[in-house]
Amino acid sequence: MPKHETPLLDELESGPWPSFVSDIKAEAASRAKNEKNVEFQIPVDVCDDLLGVLELSYKHGRTHWKHGGIVGVFGYGGGVIGRYCDQPGMFPGVAHFHTVRVNQPGGKFYNTAYLKQLCDLWEFRGSGLTNMHGSTGDIILIGTQTPQLEEIFYDLTHNMNQDLGGSGSNLRTPADCIGSARCEYACYDTQSMCYALTQEYQDELHRPAFPYKFKFKFDGCPNCCVASIARSDMSFIGLWRDEIRIDQAAVAAYVGGEIQPNGGAHAGRDWGKFDIQKEVIGLCPTECMRYEGGKLEIDNKECTHCMHCINVMPRALRIGNDRGCAILVGAKAPILDGAQMGSLLVPFISVEDPYDEVKEVIEKVWDYWMEEGKNRERLGELIKRQGFQKLLEATDIEASPLHVSEPRSNPYIFWKEEEVEGGWERDVKAYRKDHLR
Amino acid sequence: MAFISSGYNPDKPMEDRITDIGPRKFDEFYPPVIKANKGKWLYHEILEPGVLVHVSETGDKVFTVRVGGARLMSVTMIREICEIADKHCGGYVRWTTRNNVEFMVDSLDKVAPLKAELLSRKQIGGGFKFPIGGTGAGITNIVHTQGWIHCHTPATDGSGPVKAAMDVLFDQFTSMKLPAHLRISLACCLNMCGAVHCSDIAILGFHRKPPMLDHEYLDKMCEIPLAIAACPTAAIKPAKVEVDGQKLNSVAVKNSRCMFCGNCYTMCPAMPLADKEGDGIVLMAGGKVSNRISPPKFSKVVVAFLPNEAPRWASTTDAIQKMVNAYSNGARKYERLGDWAERIGWERFFSVCDLPFTHHLIDDFRDPAYYTWRQTTQFKF
């Protein structure tokens, strides 16, 4: 017998897609049965009460969770989010239901020994429910109580060599794409850079000293699988700046229909015979490609590395050899003043361990934002408020046409006195000698 | 349930304390075939929906079977994943950025038994535990936020609408019939922890009623200046109020200026705005993050409001289904939903998707609004 009737949630147990309701029920049943005699450190019926409170939300059309209180582990200002239920009497198992963010490994690769250890810990000291993974990238352990927090942290750090992730006004847990671990498009080793910077900036990650949250994300190529350009204050996107490598024999194989275009991504529909003119040459945004006499030519200096041709013919075209990354800044979701896309700050930077050049840019950006940013002002909002020029000044980067999609269409330039010959101090009396009142 | 110590001594918190160690290093968790071929991959192919092969210059191949799953995942489910990974994949597994799970093997003959094992595992209601798909020109797993399961500001649920939508779109997960890939995301309020603002289709929870004012507790629970400063439209001002003959410091809200962002509630719990009738779903469409062919772009609001129809959100899934069908029928190969909408014109988008256009969809929020009005005689009757 379930502890709470959940007729609305039960309707989410049918259908082909995996049901989170069935999964929570399975966890509830496993805890009730407790075959391994786990000495649960939080209520055994926590999952039942979670289903109960969620059912109530389905009925009320409103959440039943309150703001988090200040909970955490000693010496850290982030990594734990307090969470309390607004109906603790009805659902005592989830009266206190805090979240622990655990810094995920690069590429979200795991071995099962680690995962099992994490499962054992979270069954013992938490609800047994997780998010794999949170939007920022962390492993999210949802549902534990305050006395367990230090114990969980102790166990993570001492027995799993594992630290917490970020929350609050600090560096949020950086995240990367699968990168060169299993992708031929990666222009740099995203996991290596993500790991190196995460380690370098542990203090910024755990101890909030920023005006607001700050996110790093690492995309190995302009396909942007981790969406860094849309959702990270600093987005590192891999690029090459020399020539796309062409294997003409493989191009011919695509044209001849021996290899499926786009790695077979369109195989579910009959799109007709592959047409290199229509599907590659004609879709190139800069029209910098030609296919004549059985030979593909690319005018590489006109290429804007959009990835389309490489995506369509991965066996024939490969990223260039002179690789690094671009840095874009200021992306964020709409709250408060509207969404912002990342704006290009550094068109190309070398990406070699120990990433000193990259760190230099990061630290200049942080210095600027920490000096000028208001409370709860994201970097993108600050740049919008003060203008892109201020950011260029703060980072000692010279303006270039690459910084704009088009030049300004108003002439209201805020000239600085030192930019104008002779300065601004003038003698009005001398002026009046030539210009009577 | 007696308290069991991990070894931590609350009287001496700094004793033997380990901090600032960061995550585990990525290469500890690479399967051998990944470790041996990192940086050496030549190309990849999708052998069938959900099954990829990556070929290395060493001649090695890694075969990946991608399965969808609920982001909300129990340890029982993770242990089941481990069991499969131990049996078939040498004890390694990974997750994707879109909440899929990837099982990797190093030879083709290992794929069929792995697939059979994954598809054989069903939930109690008959659904798959590990549906195979999510590759190529189809719809992969929906990234989403917590919703009613764990968040204090949501205007809708996360896991429920996602389950409802993926049930309806299941065929697109297990096939590759669309013109290009189509990314759906859900954020349960406009804080957008999920950053859905650049998705082909975004499901967004939204409030429509201004905050209620819990005057009796407001000054006790909140820093009034912070609540005032939190409002992007300056709709909140300080106010003296009288409750049961007692003069209290509180705030007043100019409701006509409220944009329902909930930022005040984030700063001040005495200003709740959640409401059964007021809250619901906004649908946005046409965004992308890839730089492929066209630059990344924001999603546009295409449905101003749909009610929270728990547990199956039928109006929401119907509207999504309409957009997916119209896109599937109308777009060219490789064309993303937003590029298609721009090519045919947004006026045509609304007619082919059979979605009503209302005044709510015309931007009137600050400067960028002007740039979205039509300033040409080029349009379609």
Side-chain angles (χ1 to χ4, degrees):
Chain A
M1 256 309 274
K3 184 175 173 191
H4 305 285
E5 293 295 321
T6 54
L8 292 170
L9 292 177
D10 295 351
E11 287 188 45
L12 288 170
E13 289 197 273
S14 59
W17 191 252
S19 167
F20 69 100
V21 176
S22 298
D23 191 21
I24 301 173
K25 284 186 177 179
E27 193 60 31
S30 158
R31 288 177 80 91
K33 221 168 163 189
N34 195 15
E35 278 179 339
K36 287 181 289 178
N37 294 313
V38 178
E39 294 209 52
F40 297 118
Q41 296 293 290
I42 75 162
V44 60
D45 56 358
V46 53
C47 295
D48 304 272
D49 278 354
L50 184 67
L51 287 167
V53 71
L54 186 62
E55 177 75 12
L56 193 64
S57 281
Y58 272 53
K59 197 173 140 199
H60 286 165
R62 296 182 302 268
T63 191
H64 282 285
W65 299 101
K66 300 201 283 186
H67 285 64
I70 306 292
V71 292
V73 299
F74 190 77
Y76 279 12
V80 181
I81 294 94
R83 186 65 70 221
Y84 302 90
C85 179
D86 71 6
Q87 287 293 353
M90 291 167 78
F91 308 106
V94 294
H96 301 220
F97 200 67
H98 308 324
T99 300
V100 180
R101 291 187 183 163
V102 177
N103 193 330
Q104 83 288 356
K108 300 186 174 79
F109 281 95
Y110 293 98
N111 65 28
T112 53
Y114 173 88
L115 287 172
K116 287 174 201 169
Q117 219 181 339
L118 193 69
C119 288
D120 290 347
L121 168 64
W122 194 240
E123 180 176 51
F124 175 44
R125 297 199 180 275
S127 69
L129 300 175
T130 77
N131 289 153
M132 297 295 281
H133 297 76
S135 302
T136 299
D138 296 279
I139 303 163
I140 307 285
L141 305 176
I142 53 171
T144 192
Q145 300 184 347
T146 310
Q148 296 305 315
L149 298 174
E150 287 290 353
E151 310 299 327
I152 291 163
F153 183 66
Y154 188 96
D155 209 0
L156 283 172
T157 51
H158 285 74
N159 302 321
M160 296 184 69
N161 189 25
Q162 172 67 58
D163 209 335
L164 300 183
S167 65
S169 291
N170 60 12
L171 175 63
R172 298 298 182 86
T173 310
D176 50 22
C177 71
I178 192 164
S180 47
R182 202 200 58 200
C183 180
E184 66 273 24
Y185 301 151
C187 298
Y188 72 100
D189 185 345
T190 50
Q191 280 149 41
S192 175
M193 178 144 110
C194 182
Y195 182 77
L197 295 180
T198 305
Q199 294 296 345
E200 174 81 16
Y201 298 120
Q202 280 291 296
D203 191 32
E204 286 78 1
L205 198 154
H206 297 302
R207 296 169 195 92
F210 289 152
Y212 202 10
K213 63 180 94 166
F214 196 95
K215 298 186 180 184
F216 286 153
K217 291 194 194 295
F218 305 89
D219 270 313
C221 84
N223 281 333
C224 285
C225 289
V226 291
S228 68
I229 198 167
R231 59 189 189 128
S232 54
D233 299 86
M234 275 182 109
S235 146
F236 302 88
I237 303 177
L239 288 177
W240 69 95
R241 54 179 177 180
D242 55 346
E243 293 174 357
I244 293 175
R245 290 171 288 166
I246 306 177
D247 176 344
Q248 296 289 355
V251 174
Y254 278 105
V255 173
E258 291 148 49
I259 310 174
Q260 286 204 357
N262 217 128
H266 298 263
R269 195 198 287 195
D270 182 8
W271 291 93
K273 189 175 177 301
F274 176 67
D275 179 346
I276 192 170
Q277 290 296 346
K278 191 171 137 200
E279 298 186 33
V280 181
I281 314 292
L283 290 178
C284 171
T286 63
E287 300 176 19
C288 72
M289 307 180 82
R290 284 201 315 170
Y291 183 72
E292 273 171 24
K295 195 170 172 231
L296 181 72
E297 284 175 46
I298 302 175
D299 185 357
N300 280 284
K301 69 177 192 309
E302 296 304 315
C303 170
T304 51
H305 25 81
C306 87
M307 295 295 296
H308 176 66
C309 60
I310 297 177
N311 285 330
V312 176
M313 305 194 291
R315 288 179 73 165
L317 301 178
R318 302 182 66 200
I319 57 168
N321 286 319
D322 180 14
R323 301 171 205 159
C325 81
I327 305 178
L328 291 89
V329 294
K332 56 178 280 292
I335 197 111
L336 284 169
D337 202 12
Q340 287 181 240
M341 201 72 79
S343 298
L344 182 70
L345 177 65
V346 180
F348 191 86
I349 192 164
S350 106
V351 184
E352 298 297 331
D353 198 21
Y355 310 102
D356 286 335
E357 280 186 61
V358 171
K359 287 176 194 166
E360 199 182 318
V361 178
I362 291 169
E363 286 163 27
K364 282 179 179 168
V365 167
W366 279 349
D367 283 348
Y368 166 62
W369 180 50
M370 289 173 77
E371 183 69 28
E372 298 286 337
K374 296 188 206 168
N375 183 32
R376 299 189 84 223
E377 185 174 48
R378 292 284 288 270
L379 175 65
E381 293 164 323
L382 169 65
I383 301 169
K384 221 166 128 183
R385 178 163 64 83
Q386 296 200 336
F388 198 78
Q389 283 91 332
K390 288 279 192 308
L391 178 70
L392 291 177
E393 272 172 39
T395 50
D396 296 314
I397 293 171
E398 204 172 319
S400 102
L402 301 183
H403 287 128
V404 294
S405 61
E406 59 185 46
R408 65 195 306 157
S409 51
N410 65 69
Y412 306 142
I413 300 163
F414 290 98
W415 290 100
K416 289 192 191 120
E417 184 168 15
E418 61 270 25
E419 288 182 308
V420 181
E421 295 76 4
W424 290 347
E425 289 305 316
R426 286 170 292 164
D427 181 359
V428 72
K429 285 196 174 123
Y431 176 83
R432 285 298 170 210
K433 281 183 190 159
D434 295 333
H435 303 274
L436 303 183
R437 278 189 195 92
Chain B
M1 87 186 171
F3 183 84
I4 298 173
S5 167
S6 60
Y8 170 73
N9 178 359
D11 296 326
K12 294 179 180 167
M14 292 313 288
E15 188 179 80
D16 194 20
R17 195 170 188 84
I18 299 173
T19 68
D20 298 81
I21 55 173
R24 290 282 284 269
K25 190 151 186 248
F26 49 90
D27 55 4
E28 286 182 61
F29 295 146
Y30 283 163
V33 64
I34 295 290
K35 196 168 253 181
N37 294 285
K38 183 172 178 174
K40 297 177 187 165
W41 300 107
L42 283 177
Y43 65 89
H44 75 279
E45 278 172 27
I46 305 169
L47 300 176
E48 59 184 277
V51 182
L52 302 132
V53 59
H54 287 79
V55 181
S56 163
E57 61 191 37
T58 65
D60 285 353
K61 293 180 179 178
V62 60
F63 296 86
T64 302
V65 179
R66 180 179 294 170
V67 303
R71 180 183 90 148
L72 182 78
M73 194 171 266
S74 71
V75 296
T76 300
M77 180 68 83
I78 298 171
R79 285 177 178 140
E80 198 167 335
I81 289 169
C82 290
E83 183 194 326
I84 298 167
D86 282 340
K87 189 168 159 193
H88 294 269
C89 312
Y92 296 92
V93 65
R94 77 173 286 265
W95 270 257
T96 72
T97 38
R98 298 194 75 85
N99 309 330
N100 294 309
V101 185
E102 291 188 338
F103 295 91
M104 286 160 283
V105 293
D106 56 13
S107 70
L108 183 60
D109 59 306
K110 295 176 182 170
V111 172
L114 170 60
K115 276 180 59 192
E117 169 106 49
L118 290 166
L119 293 178
S120 72
R121 294 181 183 241
K122 297 279 188 72
Q123 284 181 315
I124 198 158
F128 291 98
K129 282 183 176 169
F130 306 110
I132 296 172
T135 52
I139 296 177
T140 189
N141 204 346
I142 299 178
V143 291
H144 66 94
T145 57
Q146 299 287 17
W148 292 333
I149 198 114
H150 205 222
C151 181
H152 62 295
T153 64
T156 190
D157 187 32
S159 300
V162 165
K163 159 72 175 156
M166 286 310 291
D167 276 342
V168 168
L169 299 166
F170 190 72
D171 177 48
Q172 302 288 4
F173 179 81
T174 56
S175 64
M176 304 188 293
K177 298 177 292 195
L178 293 177
H181 54 268
L182 192 145
R183 297 280 184 258
I184 305 180
S185 314
L186 178 147
C188 53
C189 81
L190 90 172
N191 270 317
M192 285 198 195
C193 300
V196 303
H197 56 290
C198 294
S199 309
D200 293 281
I201 296 177
I203 308 167
L204 174 65
F206 211 86
H207 304 288
R208 290 187 308 165
K209 295 192 183 181
M212 293 174 277
L213 303 174
D214 198 353
H215 289 305
E216 206 179 333
Y217 288 92
L218 201 139
D219 194 27
K220 296 183 193 124
M221 293 170 87
C222 317
E223 295 284 348
I224 287 177
L226 285 182
I228 291 167
C231 181
T233 63
I236 306 174
K237 60 180 183 186
K240 302 258 185 216
V241 294
E242 205 174 300
V243 179
D244 300 331
Q246 235 193 326
K247 286 226 192 284
L248 296 169
N249 289 325
S250 187
V251 298
V253 176
K254 187 166 183 175
N255 285 339
S256 63
R257 280 175 107 152
C258 180
M259 61 187 262
F260 317 103
C261 71
N263 207 37
C264 54
Y265 179 62
T266 296
M267 299 309 287
C268 175
M271 300 179 73
L273 67 168
D275 185 272
K276 185 167 188 167
E277 284 74 36
D279 295 356
I281 300 248
V282 171
L283 289 178
M284 301 173 75
K288 69 197 269 279
V289 295
S290 155
N291 290 272
R292 184 176 183 172
I293 304 177
S294 64
K297 50 187 146 211
F298 294 127
S299 313
K300 283 82 184 169
V301 179
V302 292
V303 177
F305 184 79
L306 293 167
N308 274 325
E309 297 157 328
R312 281 278 172 187
W313 278 268
S315 305
T316 296
T317 58
D318 284 353
I320 293 172
Q321 188 75 293
K322 281 187 199 171
M323 283 191 269
V324 171
N325 289 342
Y327 163 69
S328 179
N329 294 333
R332 295 172 181 163
K333 191 178 179 186
Y334 307 113
E335 198 168 44
R336 291 288 290 268
L337 191 145
D339 293 327
W340 164 68
E342 285 171 16
R343 176 171 60 81
I344 62 170
W346 283 98
E347 66 271 45
R348 189 69 85 233
F349 172 88
F350 284 95
S351 63
V352 296
C353 292
D354 188 26
L355 294 173
F357 188 90
T358 64
H359 74 88
H360 309 98
L361 307 182
I362 300 174
D363 196 353
D364 56 0
F365 186 72
R366 303 195 174 158
D367 262 8
Y370 165 82
Y371 300 100
T372 65
W373 305 338
R374 193 180 297 267
Q375 284 138 0
T376 171
T377 54
Q378 293 186 11
F379 55 83
K380 296 176 181 175
F381 286 110

